[in-house]
Amino acid sequence: MMLKELRDEVYEANMDLPKHGLVVFTWGNASGVDRERGLFVIKPSGVSYDELTPQNLVVVDFDGNKVEGELNPSSDTATHAVLYKTWEDIGGVVHTHSSNAVSWAQAGRSIPCYGTTHADYFYGDVPCMRGLTAGEIREAYELNTGKVILEGFEGVDHIAHPGCLVRNHGPFSWGKDAAAAVYHAVVIEEVAKMALHTEQLAHASGRAIDDCLAPQYLLDKHYMRKHGPNAYYGQGK
Amino acid sequence: MMLKELRDEVYEANMDLPKHGLVVFTWGNASGVDRERGLFVIKPSGVSYDELTPQNLVVVDFDGNKVEGELNPSSDTATHAVLYKTWEDIGGVVHTHSSNAVSWAQAGRSIPCYGTTHADYFYGDVPCMRGLTAGEIREAYELNTGKVILEGFEGVDHIAHPGCLVRNHGPFSWGKDAAAAVYHAVVIEEVAKMALHTEQLAHASGRAIDDCLAPQYLLDKHYMRKHGPNAYYGQGK
Amino acid sequence: MMLKELRDEVYEANMDLPKHGLVVFTWGNASGVDRERGLFVIKPSGVSYDELTPQNLVVVDFDGNKVEGELNPSSDTATHAVLYKTWEDIGGVVHTHSSNAVSWAQAGRSIPCYGTTHADYFYGDVPCMRGLTAGEIREAYELNTGKVILEGFEGVDHIAHPGCLVRNHGPFSWGKDAAAAVYHAVVIEEVAKMALHTEQLAHASGRAIDDCLAPQYLLDKHYMRKHGPNAYYGQGK
Amino acid sequence: MMLKELRDEVYEANMDLPKHGLVVFTWGNASGVDRERGLFVIKPSGVSYDELTPQNLVVVDFDGNKVEGELNPSSDTATHAVLYKTWEDIGGVVHTHSSNAVSWAQAGRSIPCYGTTHADYFYGDVPCMRGLTAGEIREAYELNTGKVILEGFEGVDHIAHPGCLVRNHGPFSWGKDAAAAVYHAVVIEEVAKMALHTEQLAHASGRAIDDCLAPQYLLDKHYMRKHGPNAYYGQGK
C-alpha cells in the first residue's frame, strides 16, 4: 500500500474535523499531497468517521483519477485536485459545512477582518467566491468549483488568505499539509461566529459595521508577528 | 416478542436523538414500520432515554391501536400512524423539539433553501404546515396533526422533502427507515440554525434575505447528485 | 443527621444543574422541603459542585434560620424560605443564572408562549417580575426577592406557571419536589432560547412577534393533555 | 527548578482555559506572580495544552526578561509584565480569545451591566480600551497593549473591574492569583453572551437597550454582598 505516512496524516486530519465540531455525519473531507509522486490522499465518499481508517483512504492524481483504493474518493475530489495542480505550494485541502462559515457563504458575504483572532491567520478578509453559473454546474460541477476559487484568488495571495467561502455552499481551506488545512478550517469557523456577533452588537448600538474593521496596521502587525520574516510567535524552528 | 430486529433499529434510532442533541428529557420519539405486518414500533410515552430498551418499545397498528407492549405508546402515535397509512413508501418517522427547528415552526416560517447543505437532502424548502384549528385540536389532536401534514404535502413530493415543521409546534421527519428519519431530523436542525444566521448576516449588511436563496440549478445539481438516477455521492450499492 | 432521603434528593437535584448546563461555577442552587417538619434542605453558599455531598447540605426553617449544618446556607435561602412558607403545595425550589433565561430577565421581558414546548409546562407566559426598589434591597434583599415573586403571582396560578424571571437577575422555578423544580428550570432555559430565535426570525421576515403567539386553544390542549384531569401523556399512575 | 508551587497553580489555571471553553488551540495564556521574588510564571508561546506541563512553564521578571525555562514565553508576556509591575495588588493575569468577549471587543464596546450575574463580579461595565495607534504598535506592541489598559483604568478601580476588553483584540482579566484571573475570564465570557442576547431581546420588542441597565443600587448590593466589608456570600474566612 502506497504512502503510509501520508495516509496516517490525512487520517488524523479527517478525524480532527468532527473533534473540532466542524462536521456532522460525513459533511466534510480532508486531503494531503505527495508532491514528488504527484498524488494526493483523500477521504472516501460518504464513509462515516467511525468507519474511516488510514487504509480505506483513496489515492488520486491531480486530474482526479483514482490510483489506489477500493472505495470511491470524495465527491469533492476534483475541487481538491485542481487546487493542488495549480497551487504548487499547498500540501493539504479541507472542505466542511461548518455552521457559521456556511451561514456567511449562504449570505454571499466575505468575512471582514474585525480583529486579531482573524488577523493572526488571514491577512484581510476571508473572501467569498461567486456562485457557479448553470453552465459551469452542468459541465463539471466539482472541477469548476475549484476553478471559481482560482478565479477569485487572481491577484490575491492564497498563502496569506488560506481559505475562502464558496457562495451558497461553504468553506474550503488549505495549508502546508492536511493538519494546517484543518487548522485554517477551525479559524474560519471561529472568526465567522465572532464576526456575526460583532455585527449584531454594532447594529444593536446603532454603529456601522464598517466601524468595527481592524485597522490595516493591526492586520500588518498580527499577521507579520506570526508569519513574517521576523516572526516571534511560538518556538521558532 | 414480535419484531425483534425492528425493535433494535427503532431503539437505536431513539437513542440517537439525544446523542445528536435533538432531544431534552423525553421530548422526541422515533418509530419504524414493518410493512408486511402493517405494524410499527414506537417509543413509549414519557419514558426517559436512560430507561429505554428494545423490549419496552410498543407495537402499534396503522390506526394507532396497541398490539404489543406493557406501556402506553408515545402520545404522538396517531400522527405517526396516519403518515404510515397514507405514505406507503416511508419506513420511519421522527418527531423532536430541537431548538432551531422549533424556532422556525414558532415563527410560522418554512426554511428557505439557502445553500447546498440544505439542497443535499431537501429539494426546496422545509415547509411549515398551517396550525390546527380549535376544532381539529378538540376532535383528535394527534391524528389531525398528521392530517394537516398530509394536506400540506398535497402536490409536494414527500420523498424529496423528507420532513416539515408544524406551526407553533416543531419538526417531523421521515425516511426509508427509522435511521433515515433521524438523519433528516438532524438535517432540519442544522439547516434551521444556518438559515437563521444567514438571514441575520443579510440583515446586518442591508441585503434582502431573498438574495440569499440558492439558485434552482444548484438545487437540481445537489439533490440529483445524491438522489437522482445517476447519483454519484457515496459508494453506490 | 436529619432528613437523609431528602438530602439525597436535594443533592441529586443540585448535581443535575451543571449536568444540564444551567450553572457555571456555583451560580445556582436547589432545595427541597419536608412539610411535616417544616424544614427544607438547601445547598451551602459558594461551595463548588465538586465538593458538594448530601452531608454538607444545610437544613433551614421557613424563616431561613439554620437548623442543622456546619456551612452557611445559600445566600438565596430567604427567597426559598418565603416561597415554601407561602405556597404550601410546592416541594422544591431552584434558582440559576442560566444564560438565555437571564437574558430575558435582563431585558425585563416575560417569555411569551410561542409554541407547544412551552405550553406543555407553562399555561401562558413565563412571567417577569418587577425589579426590587432601592428600599426593598436595602431592607432585606433576598426575602424581598421572594416577596416580589409572590406579589407578581397574585391572581396567577403558580402551579400552572411553575417559575418566573426576576428583572435584572434571573430565573426561579419550583415544583412538587426538587427534581421537578430542576425540570422546570431546564424548560425555562430551553423556551427562552427558542423564543429569542423565534423573534429574530419574525423580525428578519418583517413579521410582528405577536403573530408568533400560540393560540389559546393550543395552550389549553397541550397543558391539559399533560396536567389536566384527563391527562394522557406518559404512563399515568 | 524555581517556584514549584506557583508552577502548579499556573499550570492548573492554563488547563482550566480550554476546560471552560475559553480557548481554541493555543489562543490564550495564564500567568501567576511571586511578589517576593518579583517574578512571574507564564505559559510558553504556541505550545498546545496537551503538551503543557508545570515544568515547561517559563519564569519571567517584570520587564519581561526570561529568568528560567527552555521555551520562549507567551508573545503576550510584556502585557502581563507591565500589569504586574504597576498593579502591586494583583497575583494572576489571563488573556483569551473567547468568542463572545472578542465580539464585544471587535464591536469596540464596553459590556454594560445588565444584571446581577455581572454585578456579582464587576462593579459597573467591563470596559473596552481604545485601540493602539500605528506608532504604539510599531514601537512595542505587547508592552503598549498593557499601557493602553493602564491608561484606560486611570480613575477606575481595577479590583472592582477585574478585567477589560482591548479593542479589535479580546479580553484580559486579573485577580488575586491565576485561578481568580481565570474565574474572571469566565465571567466576562458569560456576561458577554448574556448581554448580546439581552440587547437582541430589547431590540425585538422595540425597547431601548439603556432600559435594560441594572439600577445602581442593585449593583451596589450585589457587589457588596460578595466583596464589601460585610460580605455574606460563601463561607467567609
Side-chain angles (χ1 to χ4, degrees):
Chain A
M1 186 166 273
M2 295 166 63
L3 305 173
K4 180 172 176 344
E5 267 182 59
L6 183 61
R7 281 175 182 277
D8 288 345
E9 276 177 44
V10 173
Y11 170 75
E12 289 301 332
N14 274 288
M15 296 308 286
D16 279 348
L17 297 177
K19 203 176 95 183
H20 283 294
L22 300 183
V23 163
V24 174
F25 296 127
T26 62
W27 306 350
N29 45 71
S31 69
V33 81
D34 182 319
R35 285 282 166 198
E36 285 190 19
R37 290 185 175 80
L39 300 172
F40 64 100
V41 171
I42 192 165
K43 185 178 175 295
S45 182
V47 170
S48 83
Y49 286 93
D50 288 347
E51 296 166 7
L52 203 65
T53 64
Q55 289 73 41
N56 63 19
L57 295 173
V58 186
V59 181
V60 188
D61 71 19
F62 292 172
D63 294 314
N65 302 306
K66 183 159 76 173
V67 172
E68 189 181 56
E70 295 188 7
L71 301 172
N72 300 335
S74 165
S75 56
D76 299 305
T77 295
T79 314
H80 292 238
V82 73
L83 296 181
Y84 285 126
K85 192 170 188 172
T86 311
W87 290 337
E88 299 183 1
D89 50 3
I90 65 171
V93 173
V94 161
H95 171 50
T96 79
H97 286 246
S98 69
S99 177
N100 288 285
V102 166
S103 299
W104 283 85
Q106 292 189 159
R109 296 186 57 200
S110 301
I111 309 175
C113 183
Y114 290 137
T116 61
T117 319
H118 182 131
D120 276 336
Y121 301 99
F122 279 78
Y123 192 38
D125 61 12
V126 179
C128 185
M129 308 289 103
R130 69 169 174 85
L132 278 70
T133 65
E136 288 167 338
I137 287 176
R138 201 180 320 111
E139 184 206 27
Y141 178 47
E142 292 82 5
L143 174 62
N144 284 330
T145 297
K147 288 187 176 172
V148 161
I149 293 173
L150 293 169
E151 175 195 312
F153 273 82
E154 276 166 26
V156 178
D157 179 352
H158 66 271
I159 298 299
H161 298 256
C164 69
L165 310 173
V166 174
R167 186 161 184 187
N168 291 121
H169 190 159
F172 288 82
S173 60
W174 44 82
K176 66 181 167 56
D177 54 24
V182 172
Y183 197 105
H184 295 140
V186 174
V187 169
I188 293 172
E189 180 62 10
E190 284 298 309
V191 303
K193 182 172 57 180
M194 290 170 174
L196 166 62
H197 293 154
T198 299
E199 296 195 350
Q200 293 174 329
L201 288 166
H203 187 68
S205 63
R207 195 169 295 200
I209 60 178
D210 284 355
D211 288 352
C212 301
L213 288 169
Q216 184 60 39
Y217 50 82
L218 188 63
L219 265 67
D220 293 345
K221 177 68 186 181
H222 266 262
Y223 193 74
M224 292 305 167
R225 82 170 182 171
K226 280 213 162 175
H227 308 284
N230 301 312
Y232 58 92
Y233 182 90
Q235 302 299 331
K237 297 286 162 173
Chain B
M1 186 167 271
M2 293 167 66
L3 305 172
K4 182 175 175 342
E5 268 182 57
L6 183 61
R7 282 175 181 277
D8 288 345
E9 276 176 44
V10 173
Y11 170 75
E12 290 300 334
N14 274 290
M15 295 309 285
D16 279 348
L17 297 177
K19 204 176 95 183
H20 284 293
L22 300 182
V23 162
V24 173
F25 296 127
T26 61
W27 306 350
N29 45 70
S31 69
V33 81
D34 181 320
R35 284 283 165 197
E36 285 191 19
R37 288 186 176 80
L39 300 173
F40 65 100
V41 171
I42 192 165
K43 183 177 177 295
S45 181
V47 170
S48 83
Y49 286 93
D50 289 346
E51 296 165 7
L52 204 65
T53 64
Q55 289 73 40
N56 64 18
L57 296 172
V58 186
V59 182
V60 187
D61 70 21
F62 292 172
D63 295 313
N65 302 306
K66 184 160 75 173
V67 172
E68 188 181 57
E70 294 188 9
L71 300 172
N72 300 334
S74 164
S75 58
D76 299 304
T77 295
T79 314
H80 292 238
V82 73
L83 296 181
Y84 286 126
K85 193 171 188 171
T86 311
W87 290 337
E88 299 182 2
D89 50 3
I90 66 170
V93 173
V94 161
H95 171 50
T96 79
H97 287 245
S98 68
S99 177
N100 288 285
V102 165
S103 299
W104 283 86
Q106 292 188 159
R109 298 185 56 199
S110 301
I111 309 174
C113 183
Y114 289 137
T116 61
T117 320
H118 182 131
D120 276 337
Y121 301 99
F122 279 78
Y123 192 38
D125 61 12
V126 179
C128 185
M129 308 290 104
R130 69 168 174 83
L132 279 70
T133 65
E136 287 168 337
I137 288 176
R138 200 179 320 111
E139 185 207 27
Y141 177 48
E142 292 82 5
L143 174 63
N144 284 331
T145 297
K147 288 187 176 172
V148 161
I149 293 174
L150 294 168
E151 175 195 312
F153 272 81
E154 277 166 27
V156 178
D157 178 353
H158 67 272
I159 298 299
H161 297 257
C164 69
L165 310 173
V166 174
R167 186 160 185 187
N168 292 122
H169 191 160
F172 287 82
S173 60
W174 44 83
K176 65 181 167 56
D177 52 24
V182 172
Y183 198 105
H184 295 140
V186 174
V187 169
I188 293 172
E189 180 62 8
E190 284 296 310
V191 303
K193 183 172 55 180
M194 290 170 174
L196 166 62
H197 291 154
T198 299
E199 296 195 349
Q200 292 174 329
L201 288 165
H203 187 68
S205 63
R207 195 169 294 200
I209 60 178
D210 284 355
D211 288 353
C212 301
L213 288 170
Q216 185 59 39
Y217 50 82
L218 188 64
L219 266 67
D220 293 345
K221 177 67 185 181
H222 266 262
Y223 193 75
M224 292 306 167
R225 83 171 181 170
K226 281 214 161 173
H227 308 283
N230 300 312
Y232 58 93
Y233 182 90
Q235 302 299 331
K237 299 286 159 169
Chain C
M1 188 168 271
M2 294 167 66
L3 305 172
K4 181 172 176 342
E5 268 183 57
L6 183 61
R7 282 175 182 276
D8 289 345
E9 277 176 44
V10 173
Y11 170 74
E12 290 300 333
N14 274 289
M15 295 309 285
D16 279 348
L17 297 177
K19 203 176 96 184
H20 283 294
L22 300 182
V23 162
V24 173
F25 297 128
T26 61
W27 306 350
N29 45 71
S31 69
V33 81
D34 182 320
R35 284 285 165 195
E36 284 191 20
R37 290 187 175 79
L39 300 172
F40 64 100
V41 171
I42 191 164
K43 183 175 176 298
S45 182
V47 170
S48 83
Y49 286 92
D50 288 347
E51 296 166 7
L52 204 64
T53 64
Q55 290 73 40
N56 63 19
L57 296 173
V58 186
V59 181
V60 187
D61 71 20
F62 291 172
D63 295 314
N65 302 307
K66 184 161 73 171
V67 173
E68 189 181 56
E70 294 189 9
L71 300 172
N72 300 335
S74 164
S75 57
D76 299 304
T77 295
T79 314
H80 293 239
V82 72
L83 296 180
Y84 285 126
K85 192 169 187 172
T86 311
W87 291 336
E88 299 182 2
D89 50 4
I90 65 171
V93 173
V94 161
H95 171 51
T96 79
H97 286 246
S98 68
S99 177
N100 288 284
V102 165
S103 300
W104 283 85
Q106 292 188 157
R109 298 186 55 200
S110 301
I111 309 174
C113 183
Y114 290 136
T116 60
T117 320
H118 182 131
D120 275 337
Y121 301 99
F122 279 78
Y123 192 38
D125 62 11
V126 178
C128 184
M129 308 290 104
R130 68 168 174 84
L132 278 69
T133 65
E136 288 168 337
I137 288 176
R138 199 180 322 110
E139 184 207 28
Y141 177 47
E142 292 82 6
L143 174 62
N144 285 330
T145 297
K147 288 187 176 172
V148 161
I149 294 172
L150 293 169
E151 175 195 312
F153 273 81
E154 276 165 28
V156 178
D157 179 352
H158 67 271
I159 298 299
H161 298 255
C164 69
L165 309 173
V166 174
R167 187 161 184 187
N168 292 122
H169 190 160
F172 287 81
S173 60
W174 44 84
K176 66 180 167 55
D177 52 23
V182 171
Y183 197 104
H184 295 139
V186 174
V187 169
I188 293 173
E189 180 62 9
E190 284 296 311
V191 303
K193 182 172 57 180
M194 290 170 172
L196 167 62
H197 292 153
T198 300
E199 296 195 349
Q200 293 174 328
L201 288 165
H203 187 68
S205 63
R207 194 170 295 199
I209 60 177
D210 283 356
D211 287 354
C212 301
L213 288 169
Q216 185 59 41
Y217 50 81
L218 187 64
L219 265 66
D220 292 345
K221 178 66 186 181
H222 266 263
Y223 193 74
M224 292 304 166
R225 83 170 181 171
K226 282 215 161 176
H227 308 283
N230 300 311
Y232 58 92
Y233 182 91
Q235 302 299 331
K237 297 288 158 169
Chain D
M1 187 167 272
M2 294 166 65
L3 305 172
K4 182 173 175 343
E5 267 182 57
L6 183 61
R7 281 175 183 276
D8 288 345
E9 277 177 44
V10 173
Y11 170 75
E12 290 301 332
N14 273 289
M15 295 309 285
D16 279 348
L17 297 177
K19 203 175 96 183
H20 283 293
L22 300 183
V23 163
V24 173
F25 297 127
T26 61
W27 306 350
N29 45 71
S31 69
V33 81
D34 182 320
R35 284 282 166 197
E36 284 190 23
R37 289 186 176 81
L39 300 172
F40 64 100
V41 171
I42 191 165
K43 183 176 177 296
S45 182
V47 170
S48 83
Y49 286 93
D50 289 347
E51 296 165 8
L52 204 65
T53 64
Q55 289 73 42
N56 63 19
L57 296 173
V58 186
V59 181
V60 188
D61 70 20
F62 291 172
D63 294 314
N65 301 307
K66 183 160 74 172
V67 172
E68 189 181 54
E70 295 188 8
L71 301 172
N72 300 334
S74 165
S75 57
D76 299 305
T77 295
T79 314
H80 292 238
V82 72
L83 296 181
Y84 284 127
K85 193 170 187 172
T86 311
W87 290 337
E88 298 183 2
D89 50 3
I90 65 170
V93 172
V94 162
H95 171 51
T96 79
H97 286 245
S98 68
S99 177
N100 288 285
V102 166
S103 300
W104 283 85
Q106 292 188 158
R109 297 185 55 200
S110 301
I111 309 174
C113 183
Y114 289 137
T116 61
T117 320
H118 182 131
D120 276 337
Y121 301 99
F122 279 78
Y123 192 39
D125 61 13
V126 179
C128 185
M129 308 290 104
R130 68 169 174 84
L132 278 69
T133 65
E136 287 168 338
I137 288 177
R138 201 181 319 112
E139 184 208 27
Y141 178 46
E142 292 83 5
L143 175 62
N144 284 330
T145 297
K147 288 187 177 172
V148 161
I149 294 173
L150 293 169
E151 175 195 312
F153 273 81
E154 276 165 28
V156 178
D157 179 352
H158 67 272
I159 298 299
H161 299 256
C164 69
L165 310 172
V166 174
R167 186 161 185 187
N168 292 123
H169 190 159
F172 288 81
S173 60
W174 44 84
K176 67 180 167 58
D177 53 24
V182 171
Y183 197 104
H184 294 140
V186 174
V187 169
I188 293 173
E189 180 63 8
E190 284 297 309
V191 303
K193 182 171 58 181
M194 289 169 173
L196 166 61
H197 292 153
T198 300
E199 296 195 350
Q200 293 174 329
L201 288 166
H203 187 69
S205 64
R207 195 168 296 199
I209 59 177
D210 284 355
D211 288 353
C212 301
L213 288 170
Q216 185 59 40
Y217 50 82
L218 188 63
L219 266 67
D220 293 344
K221 178 66 185 181
H222 267 262
Y223 193 75
M224 292 305 166
R225 81 171 183 171
K226 281 214 162 175
H227 308 282
N230 299 312
Y232 57 93
Y233 182 90
Q235 302 300 332
K237 297 288 161 171

